[in-house]
């Protein structure tokens, strides 16, 4: 293959054979957000690079090495969004949506990160994202988690478990960070290169290390839950009580620190054991300081994002088949006259039977070839039109799935007869 038609590594096509699961998931998500009263927002796929640097953080993996950044023709540095939260926060500020108001927003779309592609990890991937702006919680924290629990039930997904943690306020986190740096400095010789690099920029991320050699050191590190300020502790305890009373099982994981800098207080993650190394299916948390930090008025907020590819894979593994609806009717017409009459008939039926799937045998050919195509389409009935039917003003209706007798009906009565047989 020449360069021009090669796909980009880590960026996937979703083919018609796979799209059914995506559509099923998207329809379920739309139903879910309706139920909970979230409104859709669409923000650009490209933003000023500065926005992501300031919100996600200079020393995060995303900003340090994963962003698709380029200079546009005007010389501005732009970046393909690696996530949706920063753009939504920016949109809330630049459209004046805040001013003491609250918003429950959602969006779905592609995100871009130049990561090493592997199963479940892509360079273009899709997130379903929810953000609640202006809510202090912890009730909204609990409701958001309950909402994800409902989604798993709606989708029949069972192999997921929930971890929660609290990162406290920026002040309590800074204190904890100092203590953590002291601890890791005391063990510096045993740190791997990645962790040593993080020691200055983002020491909390060392807790997230996937290197087995780091396990013992990480296990001995001071725990963030012992360093929470009283308000954050009360917030976290209240969230846990709410989850318990809602019957949502969870585990407190003090090592859950998240890879983006804007979080404070509640963070959570749903993971699965069904996808291998890329086990996070839905992650999020509170970002009470972000909007003020970007120049908007101080607004508490919380949200999460779900990896659509990963959830689609869970559905596929769970045996959810592609949700394709077979056609109801397939018009088989042979010859010029019948062809034109068949095309017009299909149009009349589409008017008269709204919502029905009605296919016309494009490309013509003899009856045998057309019946084969009609059969392969999965249609219930073939509507047959040849010269003899045209001359008599009728159509023949042939049952392709059951064993009902073929019958003829006058062209003018076709829609009424077909409506009746389709209901059987
Ligand atoms: P995140 O943890 O970076 O958080 O990503 C959220 C989810 O996106 C992950 O749990 C995972 O399912 C999926 N994901 C991330 N990277 C990839 C990838 N390379 N390939 C496939 N799936 C991926 C955020 O993005 C935050 N904006 C979430 C948030 C919203 N926090 C508050 N509001």
């Amino acid at each position: 293959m020449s360069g021009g038609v090669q796909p980009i590594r880590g960026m996937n096509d979703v083919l018609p054979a796979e799209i059914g699961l995506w559509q099923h998931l998207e329809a379920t998500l739309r139903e879910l957000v309706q139920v909970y009263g979230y409104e859709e927002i669409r923000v650009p796929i490209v933003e000023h690079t500065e926005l992501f640097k300031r919100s996600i953080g200079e020393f995060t993996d995303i900003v340090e090495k994963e962003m698709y950044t380029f200079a546009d023709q005007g010389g501005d540095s732009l970046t393909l969004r690696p996530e949706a939260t920063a753009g939504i926060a920016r949109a809330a500020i630049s459209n004046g949506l805040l001013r003491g108001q609250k918003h429950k927003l959602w969006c779905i779309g592609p995100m871009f990160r130049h990561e090493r592609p592997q199963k479940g990890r892509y360079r273009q991937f899709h997130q379903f994202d929810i953000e609640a702006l202006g809510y202090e919680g912890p009730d909204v924290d609990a409701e958001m988690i309950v909402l994800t629990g409902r989604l798993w039930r709606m989708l029949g997904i069972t192999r997921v478990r929930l971890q929660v943690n609290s990162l406290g306020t920026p002040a309590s986190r800074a204190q904890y960070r100092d203590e953590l740096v002291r601890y890791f400095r005391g063990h510096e010789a045993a740190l791997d290169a990645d962790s040593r690099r993080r020691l200055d920029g983002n020491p909390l991320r060392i807790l997230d290390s996937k290197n087995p050699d780091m396990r013992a050191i990480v296990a001995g590190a001071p725990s963030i839950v012992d360093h929470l300020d009283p308000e954050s502790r009360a917030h976290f305890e209240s969230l846990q009580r709410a989850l318990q009373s809602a019957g949502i099982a969870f585990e407190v994981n003090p090592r859950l620190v998240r890879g983006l800098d804007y979080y404070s207080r509640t963070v959570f993650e749903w993971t699965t054991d069904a996808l291998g190394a890329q086990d996070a299916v839905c992650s999020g948390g509170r970002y009470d300081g972000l909007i003020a930090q970007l120049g908007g008025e101080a607004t508490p907020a919380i949200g999460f994002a779900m990896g659509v590819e990963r959830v689609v894979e869970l559905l596929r593994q769970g045996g959810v088949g592609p949700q394709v609806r077979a056609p109801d009717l397939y018009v088989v017409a042979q010859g010029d006259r019948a062809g034109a009459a068949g095309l017009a008939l299909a149009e009349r039926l589409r008017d008269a039977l709204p919502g029905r799937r009605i296919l016309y045998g494009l490309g013509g050919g003899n009856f045998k070839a057309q019946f084969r195509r009609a059969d392969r389409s999965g249609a219930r009935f073939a509507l047959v039109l040849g010269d003899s039917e045209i001359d008599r003003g009728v159509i023949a209706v042939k049952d392709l799935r059951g064993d009902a007798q073929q019958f003829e009906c006058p062209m003018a009565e076709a829609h009424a007869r077909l409506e009746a047989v389709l209901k059987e």
Side-chain angles (χ1 to χ4, degrees), residues 62 82-85 113 115 120-123 125-127 129-131 258 260 262-263 269-270 280-287 302-310:
I62 296 179
E83 57 108 53
T85 313
R113 297 184 193 177
E115 297 191 79
R121 186 165 70 194
Y122 309 107
R123 289 181 174 172
F125 59 99
H126 295 75
Q127 283 185 344
D129 184 278
I130 270 202
E131 311 290 351
R258 308 281 296 119
L260 303 91
Y262 49 60
Y263 291 110
E269 188 154 274
W270 290 88
V281 285
C282 169
S283 332
R286 211 156 245 297
Y287 49 97
I302 180 169
F304 71 76
M306 182 175 289
V308 173
E309 282 80 358
R310 295 181 189 180

Side-chain angles (χ1 to χ4, degrees), residues 13 17 117 125 148-149 173 192 196 198 215-216 239 269 289 332 382:
D13 304 304
F125 59 99
T148 47
R173 194 166 150 188
D192 61 11
R196 222 168 290 151
R198 283 177 165 152
R215 219 167 271 158
L239 166 64
E269 188 154 274
V332 167

Side-chain angles (χ1 to χ4, degrees), residues 46-62:
V46 196
E47 298 274 357
H48 290 292
T49 304
E50 193 60 23
L51 174 70
F52 299 118
K53 285 192 178 163
R54 282 174 60 191
S55 28
I56 298 170
E58 294 269 2
F59 296 103
T60 56
D61 284 351
I62 296 179

Side-chain angles (χ1 to χ4, degrees), residues 198-343:
R198 283 177 165 152
L199 205 46
D200 291 318
N202 201 347
L204 266 71
R205 286 290 283 166
I206 301 178
L207 299 174
D208 226 15
S209 170
K210 302 276 185 290
N211 181 352
D213 297 342
M214 293 284 301
R215 219 167 271 158
I217 291 186
V218 167
S223 171
I224 198 163
V225 285
D226 300 328
H227 293 79
L228 293 181
D229 57 288
E231 288 80 21
S232 295
R233 182 181 303 282
H235 188 113
F236 193 33
E237 283 168 0
S238 169
L239 166 64
Q240 293 180 54
R241 278 195 300 277
L243 291 177
Q244 274 153 1
S245 78
I248 300 270
F250 64 90
E251 183 194 328
V252 174
N253 176 5
R255 311 267 176 253
L256 179 67
V257 291
R258 308 281 296 119
L260 303 91
D261 277 358
Y262 49 60
Y263 291 110
S264 55
R265 292 197 171 156
T266 308
V267 289
F268 64 95
E269 188 154 274
W270 290 88
T271 57
T272 177
D273 62 0
L275 296 181
Q278 302 310 313
D279 61 353
V281 285
C282 169
S283 332
R286 211 156 245 297
Y287 49 97
D288 293 337
L290 177 65
I291 292 174
Q293 185 199 317
L294 291 176
E297 62 195 79
T299 307
I302 180 169
F304 71 76
M306 182 175 289
V308 173
E309 282 80 358
R310 295 181 189 180
V311 179
V312 164
E313 178 59 18
L314 287 180
L315 289 174
R316 207 185 54 74
Q317 285 184 15
V320 178
Q323 315 272 310
V324 271
R325 237 185 75 212
D328 298 295
L329 305 173
Y330 193 107
V331 177
V332 167
Q334 189 177 2
D336 266 2
R337 264 199 318 150
L343 204 65

Side-chain angles (χ1 to χ4, degrees), residues 60-71:
T60 56
D61 284 351
I62 296 179
V63 170
E64 274 185 345
K65 48 188 186 199
E66 295 171 1
M67 296 210 297
Y68 281 88
T69 296
F70 60 96

Side-chain angles (χ1 to χ4, degrees), residues 11 24 46 58 61 76 93 128 162 186 195 212 227 230 236 317 372 413 422:
M11 303 204 180
H24 172 55
V46 196
E58 294 269 2
D61 284 351
D76 287 337
I93 298 169
F128 166 73
L162 172 67
S195 302
H227 293 79
F236 193 33
Q317 285 184 15
R372 215 175 20 243
E413 288 166 24
L422 284 170

